[in-house]
Amino acid sequence: MEVLLSLDCECSVEPQPVQRSITWRRESLCLKADPNSNPWKSVEEDQILVLVEPRDFLLMVHSLKQGSSGDSSTDHFAPLDTSSVCDLSQLSQKTVSLAVIGLDECLSHMSFRSRERSLGHRDDSGILMDLDLEVTPVNVEEALVVLQLKNNTGVLFLDTWQELTKHVVTLTKAIAKRPFKQQSECTGFSFCSEGAWSSGIRVEKDGKGLWQVWRRQLQQLNRVSLPMATAVAAAHPSPQLLLQAYRSCSTDHQRQNLLAYLKVKDKIKEKNRRIGPDLSRRLHVFMTSTVADLVLDLGD
């Protein structure tokens, strides 16, 4: 709780319908609320984390083993008895996760007790608790599959309470950010076209992909098609190389017309044409001008 309080999260210990469980609430703004009432209301999130003792988890696994028909298919497993853990039928509207702390140590103790052939003892309720339930790692894996497929419940195995603290903190941060992520995913921008153009270009450490980025930057200029950008990028594979070519020119007229005679291959129209003096001039101004507010032409 101290770690959560350090994240500006409010924590409280309250009675829960499910014992040893952790739930989350969010203060949500109600736009249709009475003007005289508090517009903020507490809304419970759909996430719930249930802390499970290793002994109770193994009893649940053992009940599945006793009721199964021996077939590996989940259709032949008996309904999973989760009474030793919690009543999952009451949590059908929740996203349930079970946190089991110290299961490996418990299984090691079971193996040791089995080798020593020690006799079990009975607790006050009369349940045999010698931990010699003949539960194998395979039985545990089968129970995990049934929990996930039939109960939509995940299981997290932890060794210490410190690991549980880290998991709760991570889950709290994810729940807090979820509305903002959902809103950003639903936000559309009319100026972003669909398809490959809207996706990013991956640039490797060896520089692979930089040429594609340079070509796409050229396409952002007005009236620059893909074949035209490809022709410029093929002749000058990087902005630095284009600037070097401009510096090698002796006159301003040569610099403005440096790209004018580059051939553009148009596969759709099946004919070759040239960049032309207009685009050559605009590219020269774009690459060399130091005036941020300069308009390249009336069409840009």
Side-chain angles (χ1 to χ4, degrees):
M1 294 183 67
E2 292 179 357
V3 177
L4 292 174
L5 290 174
S6 66
L7 299 174
D8 294 332
C9 298
E10 296 182 2
C11 306
S12 61
V13 180
E14 303 175 1
Q16 297 281 357
V18 180
Q19 296 183 357
R20 295 175 295 182
S21 64
I22 301 175
T23 57
W24 288 263
R25 291 189 180 93
R26 182 191 307 276
E27 292 295 323
S28 178
L29 179 62
C30 183
L31 300 178
K32 298 182 180 180
D34 188 348
N36 298 325
S37 63
N38 186 3
W40 294 93
K41 64 177 182 178
S42 179
V43 179
E44 186 169 316
E45 297 288 334
D46 59 356
Q47 295 280 344
I48 180 171
L49 179 65
V50 182
L51 308 182
V52 181
E53 293 287 342
R55 177 184 61 183
D56 298 334
F57 181 78
L58 291 177
L59 282 174
M60 180 184 65
V61 175
H62 184 68
S63 67
L64 176 66
K65 177 184 176 181
Q66 294 296 320
S68 63
S69 62
D71 197 307
S72 58
S73 173
T74 56
D75 296 335
H76 294 79
F77 282 116
L80 189 60
D81 183 12
T82 61
S83 58
S84 61
V85 176
C86 64
D87 188 1
L88 294 179
S89 61
Q90 298 179 356
L91 305 174
S92 58
Q93 303 299 323
K94 296 283 188 179
T95 302
V96 185
S97 299
L98 306 180
V100 186
I101 302 178
L103 181 65
D104 291 340
E105 182 180 356
C106 186
L107 290 174
S108 299
H109 182 65
M110 287 175 53
S111 178
F112 175 77
R113 293 282 296 274
S114 178
R115 288 196 302 268
E116 294 294 327
R117 297 181 180 179
S118 61
L119 298 177
H121 64 277
R122 295 180 181 273
D123 61 2
D124 296 337
S125 62
I127 301 176
L128 185 64
M129 297 306 298
D130 60 348
L131 297 179
D132 191 11
L133 300 177
E134 297 182 358
V135 174
T136 65
V138 175
N139 301 139
V140 174
E141 294 294 334
E142 291 175 348
L144 295 180
V145 173
V146 174
L147 283 170
Q148 184 66 51
L149 297 182
K150 292 192 174 184
N151 301 93
N152 195 25
T153 301
V155 182
L156 181 68
F157 296 112
L158 304 170
D159 294 329
T160 63
W161 288 97
Q162 288 77 10
E163 293 182 1
L164 175 64
T165 301
K166 293 180 180 179
H167 177 71
V168 172
V169 170
T170 302
L171 191 56
T172 301
K173 291 181 179 179
I175 293 175
K177 296 178 180 179
R178 183 166 57 180
F180 304 99
K181 288 187 175 181
Q182 291 176 346
Q183 183 178 5
S184 62
E185 291 174 356
C186 295
T187 302
F189 298 97
S190 58
F191 54 82
C192 289
S193 58
E194 298 293 336
W197 172 261
S198 59
S199 62
I201 297 177
R202 182 180 180 85
V203 178
E204 304 293 344
K205 292 182 179 180
D206 58 357
K208 183 180 180 181
L210 288 175
W211 185 84
Q212 286 81 358
V213 174
W214 167 230
R215 183 179 62 176
R216 181 166 295 187
Q217 289 175 338
L218 292 171
Q219 281 185 265
Q220 294 178 8
L221 293 175
N222 191 33
R223 302 193 304 277
V224 176
S225 63
L226 177 60
M228 298 171 72
T230 302
V232 175
H236 307 279
S238 71
Q240 187 63 33
L241 292 177
L242 180 56
L243 289 175
Q244 291 178 5
Y246 283 137
R247 296 191 193 101
S248 63
C249 297
S250 57
T251 64
D252 189 60
H253 178 76
Q254 290 179 349
R255 285 187 286 269
Q256 290 185 3
N257 291 275
L258 176 66
L259 308 175
Y261 298 99
L262 288 179
K263 292 184 178 180
V264 178
K265 296 181 179 180
D266 195 336
K267 295 182 179 180
I268 299 178
K269 297 181 179 180
E270 296 183 351
K271 65 178 183 178
N272 295 335
R273 51 195 178 93
R274 301 183 187 278
I275 290 291
D278 178 66
L279 177 57
S280 180
R281 179 194 61 81
R282 286 192 293 137
L283 280 174
H284 170 256
V285 174
F286 173 72
M287 296 295 297
T288 59
S289 176
T290 57
V291 181
D293 298 330
L294 180 66
V295 179
L296 298 182
D297 65 0
L298 296 178
D300 281 349

